[in-house]
Amino acid sequence: MSILVFLEHHGNELQKGSLSVLSKAASLGAGDVYGVVAGSGVRELASGAGKYGASKVFVADDPALEAPLPQPRVDVIATLVREQSIDTVLLAQSVLAADVAAGLSARLDAGLNWELVDIEEQDGKLVGTRPALADSVYVQVGWKGEPCIGIFRSGTFDPKETGGEAEVVDTPVQLEDFSTAATMIEQAHEEQQGPSIEDADVIVAGGRGLGGPENFTLVEELAKALGGAVAATRAVVDAGWYPYATQVGQTGKTVSPKLYVACGISGAIQHKVGMQSSSVIVAINKDPNAPIFEYSDLGVVGDVHEVVPKLTELVKQRKRSAS
Ligand SMILES: Cc1cc2nc3c(=O)[nH]c(=O)nc-3n(C[C@H](O)[C@H](O)[C@H](O)COP(=O)(O)OP(=O)(O)OC[C@H]3O[C@@H](n4cnc5c(N)ncnc54)[C@H](O)[C@@H]3O)c2cc1C
């Protein structure tokens, strides 16, 4: 078996999600595990993947790959699949990766399983696990032929360093005419303070119980005091109180921080599936019967407007006395 993992990068860093999928692939012990990095000026990044389990990293380094557009990456990966006899391509969920996976599936006439949350080898074949029926059950999924393409839900695994070294191999970049038809005119980065919710160890999430968008300052201040990131429920982002990028849940992001503080969140199943793997869940809700208390490690029955500012002040005091 030979598995190729698409290693997405932003700036000068390989993405945590890609490295997580890489370490998962390496942990299968099911043959060769390679990575591919595609971009402009990315050669330096490639060797970093060795310690997450790649024995070889193919580097497609070309100015034509500078913009994060999918089709040129499909060209690079499709060529590698054919020339290196790759039988499996794995990716971590992202806007770019989803387009690359779909394009690759069409180009190679290959089966694509998406939203995977696990993968294992059974009798020499890979079998994935994915949620179904609004995340109420997990089903096992396979591939009828090769190559197999799988894309994993974000936040499913953590990257694990194994300490290895990767051979870095330059791969020639030959792009199809139609793959260069799209041009990126502009790329705007959302201004962000602190860590993203995918990377944060601490997340403070706000729900409709906050009462209005102006009250998000309560969760922002607590998140700042704890050095964490702010997340939101779908009810809140649908109402335009907070950006979609912060939505946690079935149709948002899956997160697994060390601490998840839910403020004024009822704990609907669609929210739960996105945060249930957090190490410690703390809920603040004025309704003692709110479903979120059923799966919280610590629950505070109270009004967010009273409890959250007090908690923020206590955290700040503790930090002051510790410094
Ligand atoms: C197909 C589908 C996909 C979905 N995907 C997602 C998803 O990805 N993510 C997601 O979050 N939801 C998702 N939902 C929506 C989900 O079902 C819930 O509607 C949503 O999570 C509720 O958000 P909420 O907890 O902010 O609001 P509510 O359910 O309205 O809960 C507000 C809570 O705040 C408490 N409260 C009110 N005032 C206060 C106060 N002053 N102090 C303390 N507590 C207070 C209330 O007791 C209540 O428990 C999806 C739904 C569907 C059908």
Side-chain angles (χ1 to χ4, degrees):
M1 199 175 284
S2 58
I3 303 176
L4 181 70
V5 179
F6 173 59
L7 299 174
E8 189 171 343
H9 68 282
H10 286 184
N12 285 328
E13 266 182 48
L14 294 175
Q15 283 301 98
K16 182 179 164 191
S18 306
L19 295 174
S20 311
V21 171
L22 178 61
S23 12
K24 179 66 190 179
S27 75
L28 297 173
D32 298 316
V33 177
Y34 307 138
V36 53
V37 184
S40 178
V42 290
R43 201 167 194 282
E44 291 288 295
L45 292 178
S47 56
K51 57 177 184 278
Y52 296 96
S55 60
K56 205 182 270 185
V57 179
F58 297 99
V59 181
D61 199 331
D62 193 291
L65 293 165
E66 175 143 24
L69 291 168
Q71 281 303 329
R73 284 159 178 79
V74 172
D75 291 347
V76 168
I77 300 173
T79 306
L80 281 173
V81 167
R82 291 190 194 106
E83 291 181 357
Q84 304 292 330
S85 307
I86 303 286
D87 48 58
T88 305
V89 181
L90 300 179
L91 309 91
Q93 172 64 38
S94 75
V95 173
L96 177 63
D99 281 350
V100 171
L104 208 52
S105 169
R107 185 81 65 85
L108 299 173
D109 196 19
L112 165 61
N113 277 309
W114 66 99
E115 277 224 279
L116 297 177
V117 293
D118 203 1
I119 194 162
E120 60 185 335
E121 192 193 1
Q122 286 179 14
D123 303 326
K125 291 199 164 199
L126 289 178
V127 176
T129 302
R130 58 157 299 187
L133 300 175
D135 280 42
S136 56
V137 292
Y138 287 103
V139 293
Q140 291 203 309
V141 289
W143 290 263
K144 280 186 180 167
E146 287 177 356
C148 314
I149 306 175
I151 182 160
F152 287 82
R153 257 194 185 185
S154 60
T156 299
F157 313 114
D158 279 328
K160 288 202 177 70
E161 292 191 25
T162 48
E165 273 190 30
E167 181 192 350
V168 176
V169 181
D170 288 306
T171 185
V173 176
Q174 282 174 339
L175 304 182
E176 305 283 352
D177 286 348
F178 54 81
S179 297
T180 53
T183 315
M184 181 164 284
I185 308 286
E186 192 189 344
Q187 194 177 9
H189 291 278
E190 192 181 353
E191 278 186 36
Q192 188 179 315
Q193 292 175 340
S196 70
I197 58 170
E198 291 97 330
D199 296 333
D201 281 340
V202 177
I203 290 178
V204 184
R208 203 149 41 182
L210 285 169
E214 66 284 359
N215 295 329
F216 254 87
T217 50
L218 294 177
V219 287
E220 285 168 350
E221 278 164 22
L222 180 56
K224 195 173 164 201
L226 290 167
V230 176
T233 63
R234 175 161 159 181
V236 155
V237 300
D238 278 351
W241 293 4
Y242 226 63
Y244 272 104
T246 62
Q247 183 190 320
V248 166
Q250 184 191 327
T251 42
K253 289 177 180 158
T254 305
V255 294
S256 46
K258 291 183 183 149
L259 173 65
Y260 191 92
V261 187
C263 307
I265 292 177
S266 59
I269 176 74
Q270 296 89 354
H271 186 77
K272 180 184 176 187
V273 296
M275 44 67 85
Q276 61 190 347
S277 55
S278 307
S279 307
V280 176
I281 298 172
V282 176
I284 304 162
N285 194 305
K286 69 176 185 186
D287 176 6
N289 297 314
I292 193 143
F293 288 131
E294 289 165 20
Y295 56 93
S296 296
D297 298 284
L298 184 72
V300 183
V301 179
D303 190 324
V304 282
H305 303 98
E306 290 169 20
V307 179
V308 178
K310 279 187 192 154
L311 190 54
T312 306
E313 193 43 45
L314 283 171
V315 174
K316 285 184 182 165
Q317 270 176 24
R318 181 71 66 90
K319 279 168 85 179
R320 277 197 294 270
S321 55
S323 62

